[in-house]
Amino acid sequence: MRFQLLGPLSIAHGPETVVLKPSKPTSLLAALLLHPGVVVSTTYLVSAVWDEEPPATARAALQTCVLRLRRLFTKYGISTTTIEAVPGGYRMHNDTETLDLVLFRSLTSQAPAAGGPGEELYRLREALSLWHGPPLANVASRMLRRDAVPSLEQERLRVLERVCDLELAAGNCHQVLVDLYESARRHPVRERFTEQLIEALYRTGRQAEALAEYRTVRDRLRDELGVDPGAGLRRLELAILRAEEIGGPEAAASGTAPRSAAGHGTGPGTRPGSGAAAGPVTAPAPGPAVQPPTRPELPRAAAVPGAPPVPSAREAGPAADSGWRGVPVKGRPGRPGLAPVPGFAGREADRRAIAARLTSADGPRLVVVSGAPGIGKSALAHQCAYEVRGEFPGGVFTLALTRPDGSPLALDEARELLPGPGDAEDGRRLLVLDDAAGAGQVLPLLPAPEDAAVLVTSRRGLAAVVATHGGAVHRLDVLGPDEAYALLAGLVGADRIADEAQAAAELADVCGHFPLALRIAAGRLLTRPGLSVADCTAWLAEEPSARLALAEDPRLSVPEVFGQAVGALSPELREVFLRLGTLGPRAPLADAGSETELEQLVEAGMLEDGPPGKPPYRLHSFLLVYARWLARGPLPAPTAPTAPATR
């Protein structure tokens, strides 16, 4: 017996599959199955079953729905204890044998560790075969269709993109064309599918069709959204016009996501029209083709509104903390590799103090930038690195210590990616360690004081780092009103923001003056030129914790970024944070937990120390909104341990 969520909600019982009829028990079952093994609160379940119109006796009616489900389970030989009543809600324990969603996620998470690209492709194809139609098509809950279905679909599309990457890297361009035609047509805003389709057409000798696809996409983006294609598509067009070689088997062998010459890391290998993989190539072809990274786990760059393409030794780009996040990037004065953060605004006092510390002739040159998730730590660090780059003739190097899924980079991997002694032959260098999980991850990576200055970002204060090595800690607060306005103006355009200055101020309030939220809102405005700032603000204000997200990248999503931060907490601290969202407006925060627990939340960046003479703790208003939103549904699943592991 298996429950099936990846399509119409159904129960597979032997050779028989029963598709459930739309009903309140069906909506209840879907809400529980979407959170396997997690306690789902009664409040969330009531919303899932009755949407915005729960009856006065909703809790009693919910128990009736549970009884009806248990009777249905008995009919198909399913244990009635499958639904477990627990304090505050209900829980269903499902595994790979009883729920297709759990099996899908298990297959996709284990695929990268498979023995080579062929085995990875087999497992990912097996995972995709579990899908049998639009998810939750027979579930009446508007809330679940609005909130859960897009997330499930994004999971499927990410796997499909990877499958197409592997097929292209193996030279199976003809075989993958059907999938790519359908995917590119059904999901036109996901430019990666279009890149893959153009690459497949070009490598099968259909250069004219490849260019026609590019120009169709370019014209649609300009007409409908008023934007040009991304840098990846533009570089791919240039490679075709130059008749350069793109794609090849090396990317598949490396285990990375092989991406086209459109700035995505495929190595050269096959000639256009061959349809088969060429022999190994030891050096990249000239032009836009780039050698694939050597490790698949490394964080990819994320797109931020207004970000220009940045040439570098590897790859760099803006990320979730509203700044630049990348794999190791080396930049030296007068050479490519380092650029200012697009639209950066404010933080003047912090920038001056950090620059003075990093370039000081005496004393430790170590700075830690800490603060809440999404508050702009990475942006500040990389803007400072850009501004002081002329003081470091040995170069500026940046390394992201946390992967996009929230797990920390292993120490062995980090050591391999750090610049060696030979990289600093021109003089002192600056090392930026971005998004550190804790002091235990940073201390083994610190260079000798005479070799480099170090700038570290982390949600944690890293007291053990500054206590043993000296240095300064900058704890960031939210942007001021003028800074938030300047950030929006720099990203969206000064004239457009000035035309609706009052609405822009209200938008900054809705975003809690958090740089991450402001950049997400700016991205929405940029891709919708006809959308007024006032209308955007009103829509976001209805559900800011859920709606401040860009579907293209989980690192530009408030629920994803904040959810990772909450998921990294211990179960006890997650419960304390949840209680913060249930306190009344005048209740002291100390009512949510013990002093030790609240101090641990401060260290984790989820709570702030109060000013002298005032209440000892305070919670950013935007994090409070998120905590209240979170209290209505299940807590985020725990993420990987924050203790760095070696391999």
Side-chain angles (χ1 to χ4, degrees), residues 217-576:
V217 172
R218 179 197 61 193
D219 293 342
R220 185 183 68 245
L221 290 173
R222 287 177 176 175
D223 293 341
E224 297 179 7
L225 301 176
V227 298
D228 286 320
L233 276 173
R234 296 199 303 271
R235 286 194 289 267
L236 185 56
E237 179 206 28
L238 184 60
I240 295 173
L241 293 173
R242 292 173 174 173
E244 293 172 344
E245 297 178 346
I246 60 175
E250 304 89 82
S254 72
T256 62
R259 291 170 280 163
S260 73
H264 287 296
T266 36
T270 54
R271 294 184 179 277
S274 68
V281 180
T282 58
V290 182
Q291 288 284 22
T294 57
R295 290 187 178 271
E297 310 90 310
L298 294 180
R300 272 178 38 183
V304 163
V310 184
S312 66
R314 296 288 288 277
E315 181 178 338
D321 210 10
S322 69
W324 293 85
R325 175 84 44 80
V327 296
V329 174
K330 173 180 177 179
R332 291 181 178 169
R335 309 185 193 180
L338 198 62
V341 177
F344 190 91
R347 310 284 195 201
E348 295 290 344
D350 286 303
R351 286 155 65 186
R352 287 194 298 269
I354 291 173
R357 167 70 65 171
L358 294 175
T359 59
S360 172
D362 55 349
R365 303 207 293 182
L366 170 67
V367 177
V368 173
V369 179
S370 68
I375 207 162
K377 302 180 292 295
S378 297
L380 175 61
H382 288 277
Q383 182 67 20
C384 289
Y386 171 77
E387 292 173 355
V388 302
R389 67 195 186 284
E391 301 295 323
F392 296 94
V396 177
F397 301 81
T398 179
L399 174 62
L401 295 179
T402 301
R403 299 183 180 87
D405 65 358
S407 61
L409 198 66
L411 286 178
D412 286 351
E413 292 177 303
R415 287 191 182 101
E416 291 177 12
L417 296 168
L418 287 175
D423 290 323
E425 70 278 3
D426 296 334
R428 293 181 67 94
R429 58 194 175 186
L430 173 62
L431 177 61
V432 181
L433 299 176
D434 194 19
D435 202 7
Q441 191 185 30
V442 173
L443 288 170
L445 303 178
L446 294 178
E450 63 273 11
D451 290 341
V454 182
L455 181 54
V456 187
T457 73
S458 177
R459 289 195 300 270
R460 299 183 173 274
L462 304 184
V465 175
V466 294
T468 56
H469 287 70
V473 177
H474 287 256
R475 182 81 174 191
L476 296 190
D477 207 333
V478 297
L479 296 176
D482 292 341
E483 293 174 322
Y485 182 94
L487 178 60
L488 287 172
L491 293 171
V492 180
D495 292 341
R496 186 175 176 186
I497 295 300
D499 288 343
E500 296 186 78
Q502 182 59 40
E506 294 172 0
L507 177 58
D509 289 341
V510 169
C511 295
H513 295 83
F514 267 62
L516 169 65
L518 289 165
R519 284 187 178 272
I520 293 170
R524 183 167 293 278
L525 289 169
L526 282 170
T527 56
R528 294 165 175 80
L531 179 65
S532 71
V533 178
D535 287 344
C536 179
T537 302
W539 182 77
L540 291 174
E542 293 177 3
E543 197 75 276
S545 295
R547 293 180 175 177
L548 278 165
L550 301 181
E552 292 83 359
D553 196 320
R555 290 165 293 181
L556 289 170
S557 163
V558 165
E560 288 282 348
V561 173
F562 284 12
Q564 282 186 3
V566 174
L569 301 173
S570 68
E572 296 77 16
L573 290 183
R574 288 201 297 274
E575 290 294 338
V576 173

Side-chain angles (χ1 to χ4, degrees), residues 46-68:
V46 167
S47 298
V49 174
W50 286 280
D51 289 302
E52 293 82 24
E53 301 172 351
T57 58
R59 292 181 180 270
L62 186 66
Q63 294 176 358
T64 302
C65 287
V66 172
L67 290 175
R68 290 172 62 185

